[in-house]
Amino acid sequence: MSRDPSSPLRMIASLDWLLHHPLRLGMMMAFAQRPHKFTEIRHLLNINPGRLSLQAHLLESHGYLERSVHATTGKMHATFFSVTPEGINAMRNYYQTSSEIGTELRRLCQK
């Protein structure tokens, strides 16, 4: 039985473009472990606040992240992000598709 040569390309094309970006994938993985403060993630991923804010907004606008603001000491507020159920499902689908691509890549490399 011959394989459809376009199958690997369709798998790659079906990857979630939001999660396929290394920074956004790292953010999602960190936020999936537990809610993090904006500043914690900024230091963990070693990125500037503007870039983190832009990427977080993109993930939030697609329903993958949710933001909450909590009062800390005095007038200070901390912004926390956590992954939504939709975001978890997107990560699960991304993992499944990536695994299938890896299997196909391994098969191609063994020729």
Side-chain angles (χ1 to χ4, degrees), residues 87-104:
I88 293 292
N89 191 46
M91 287 178 24
R92 191 176 292 121
N93 291 338
Y94 183 84
Y95 170 76
Q96 180 65 38
T97 303
S98 297
S99 295
E100 291 170 7
I101 291 169
T103 298
E104 184 64 16

Side-chain angles (χ1 to χ4, degrees), residues 8-58:
L9 298 177
R10 278 198 300 274
M11 284 189 284
I12 291 169
S14 73
L15 281 170
D16 186 326
W17 66 273
L18 282 170
L19 296 180
H20 198 56
H21 187 281
L23 177 57
R24 290 190 294 264
L25 182 58
M27 290 169 64
M28 290 291 289
M29 291 175 72
F31 292 135
Q33 292 174 12
R34 66 174 176 82
H36 282 276
K37 284 195 284 187
F38 183 88
T39 53
E40 290 175 321
I41 272 307
R42 186 168 65 84
H43 293 298
L44 182 67
L45 297 175
N46 194 29
I47 59 172
N48 68 50
R51 189 163 178 221
L52 177 59
S53 182
L54 177 70
Q55 300 304 325
H57 175 72
L58 188 59

